[in-house]
Amino acid sequence: MRSVLEAVATRAEIDLGALRQNVREVQRLAGGVPLMAAVKADAYGHGADLVVPVLRAEGVAAFGVASVQEAVLLRELGVRERVLVFGELVREALPACLRHDIEVTLGSAAAVEEAIAADLALRVHLKVDTGMRRLGVLPAEVGAAAARLRRAPKLTLASVWTHLATADEADPSFSRRQIALFDEVRAAEGLADIPHHVANSGGLVQLREAVRGRSWVRPGGLLYGIPSSRVLASRAEVRPVMRLVSRVVRVEQVARGDTVSYGRTWRAEAPTLVATVAAGYADGLPRQLSNRGSVTIRGGTYPIAGTVCMDMLMADLGAPEGPGAAVRRGDEAVIFGHGGPTALEQAERAGTISYALTSALTGRVPRVPRS
Ligand SMILES: *Cc1c(COP(=O)(O)O)cnc(C)c1O
């Protein structure tokens, strides 16, 4: 099977050594606060089956996922540590949570009532909306929700938590207000003794008050070495875990005036070498990389020429007498990761972020471990 995977043109190499180093760096930043590793979306596209065993071996004590379905997948991978669903409670999934020892988030007053009505012995986590305006009980409703939960004998309130909207940005003021509001509400509603957590990767790197004295930190992107912003990239000592590579399948010279790919959006201004690379949007590459992204071949960086197709893209290798002339059919083309642009750099050209790039990779791209 391995040899078949090696023969596949487009593959995501997963550097388990880099992952291990990143976990240790995150643990250092956490200063003893335990990690609840965010492994949702198949570990941000890296492959939970590869990533989770390394995290467990490094002592990660809990995992966070988006849905009950993802939580059950972790149990099927043999995870015995605690598993929390970050997404909103789905009433119909509660029996499965009981069966698989999955902990759930209550992100609204309605969810609190549904959990109580289910009458199951579950660990529940109350989420407070301190400014993200996505999910969570509003600060003014926290007291009532906590009172309801205290009178529900089968439920255990395992934590209260909130989520930061701007922790990866240079200006920490909004995050600081969110954290202050969170702590005010906890104190005012008699929740000070309940475990509590705040920090995503940004909070972990930039906000001591999101980390110190908390029960958990919830890093994701930092573990995978794909900071979500330039600020974080400059402040965090992590290495990219994923390297997305494909292969050159053709090199041809096009004439002045020739156009490349669907819609003819790229036109040669002079005789030009064009490489065809066997990766496209069905592998998960954003089509927005058309005429914006680049690939790296034999150490040279070449712009994507024309639109990204479903299964292929073309790269402008430049003049026939230039350095691009060294490129050969069969060469490796790095799309991001070691030896190419970072996921963040490539993502920015498509108007997106690193997380969206790695988590969009499709099932057609094998994740191949490297140690
Ligand atoms: C995804 C997620 C995280 C991790 O965020 P990163 O920016 O990847 O560190 C933390 N908390 C919650 C609730 C999440 O959904």
Side-chain angles (χ1 to χ4, degrees):
M1 188 59 189
R2 173 61 53 81
S3 60
V4 174
L5 293 187
E6 296 286 349
V8 169
T10 303
R11 61 189 192 278
E13 297 173 356
I14 305 300
D15 182 344
L16 300 178
L19 176 64
R20 212 168 287 120
Q21 284 190 10
N22 293 346
V23 184
R24 291 175 188 174
E25 173 61 11
V26 168
Q27 283 166 334
R28 192 186 67 75
L29 290 169
V33 176
L35 269 53
M36 179 185 287
V39 294
K40 60 202 183 197
D42 200 26
Y44 293 34
H46 291 64
D49 57 330
L50 300 177
V51 164
V52 167
V54 173
L55 299 183
R56 295 181 71 205
E58 292 299 316
V60 170
F63 294 93
V65 291
S67 67
V68 174
Q69 182 203 17
E70 289 185 345
V72 171
L73 282 173
L74 289 189
R75 290 287 180 241
E76 287 170 355
L77 286 175
V79 169
R80 289 191 296 273
E81 289 78 6
R82 294 177 64 176
V83 176
L84 172 61
V85 176
F86 291 148
E88 176 65 321
L89 181 104
V90 176
R91 188 194 340 210
E92 294 79 0
L94 288 178
C97 294
L98 186 68
R99 208 155 53 237
H100 295 283
D101 190 20
I102 292 163
E103 307 182 29
V104 295
T105 292
L106 307 178
S108 62
V112 170
E113 294 311 317
E114 289 171 9
I116 293 170
D119 198 34
L120 300 171
L122 293 168
R123 272 202 280 224
V124 298
H125 299 249
L126 186 64
K127 182 170 188 189
V128 184
D129 182 354
T130 56
M132 178 81 172
R133 293 290 178 265
R134 179 176 68 173
L135 191 63
V137 173
L138 299 179
E141 300 171 340
V142 168
R148 291 285 290 143
L149 291 171
R150 278 193 204 98
R151 278 185 255 115
K154 288 198 178 167
L155 298 180
T156 305
L157 179 55
S159 82
V160 283
W161 64 278
T162 195
H163 193 53
L164 302 174
T166 61
D168 66 349
E169 294 178 10
D171 177 0
S173 49
F174 189 75
S175 297
R176 296 228 155 93
R177 287 211 296 281
Q178 283 192 274
I179 294 168
L181 177 58
F182 179 63
D183 287 335
E184 253 169 58
V185 171
R186 289 195 310 117
E189 306 304 343
L191 295 168
D193 294 336
I194 305 286
H196 48 99
H197 43 104
V198 171
N200 53 7
S201 291
L204 193 52
V205 173
Q206 306 210 97
L207 294 151
R208 294 182 65 78
E209 63 269 52
V211 179
R212 208 169 23 188
R214 304 290 169 188
S215 315
W216 303 94
V217 291
R218 307 189 307 266
L222 223 49
L223 297 171
Y224 310 111
I226 47 167
S228 54
S229 71
R230 296 275 168 145
V231 178
L232 281 196
S234 70
R235 291 184 184 167
E237 295 287 322
V238 289
R239 285 168 48 198
V241 171
M242 184 186 288
R243 178 170 185 265
L244 183 67
V245 292
S246 185
R247 197 167 290 192
V248 174
V249 293
R250 190 186 84 157
V251 180
E252 269 302 337
Q253 183 168 328
V254 301
R256 178 168 184 271
D258 280 0
T259 60
V260 166
S261 196
Y262 291 120
R264 309 183 69 199
T265 61
W266 185 94
R267 185 178 299 269
E269 304 200 328
T272 305
L273 292 172
V274 172
T276 302
V277 175
Y281 61 78
D283 298 296
L285 296 184
R287 197 165 172 275
Q288 288 77 3
L289 287 174
S290 302
N291 292 311
R292 295 211 181 93
S294 73
V295 295
T296 305
I297 308 165
R298 290 182 184 255
T301 297
Y302 302 104
I304 291 176
T307 53
V308 172
C309 309
M310 185 182 281
D311 312 311
M312 286 174 256
L313 58 83
M314 275 62 77
D316 171 0
L317 301 179
E321 60 281 0
V327 172
R328 293 284 176 274
R329 167 178 154 90
D331 280 355
E332 189 175 81
V334 184
I335 297 163
F336 59 79
H338 185 71
T342 66
L344 182 60
E345 286 162 351
Q346 193 74 286
E348 282 178 341
R349 298 165 183 161
T352 185
I353 64 163
S354 47
Y355 298 4
L357 210 55
T358 61
S359 64
L361 294 186
T362 62
R364 175 162 104 173
V365 181
R367 277 62 164 180
V368 182
R370 292 267 184 275
S371 43

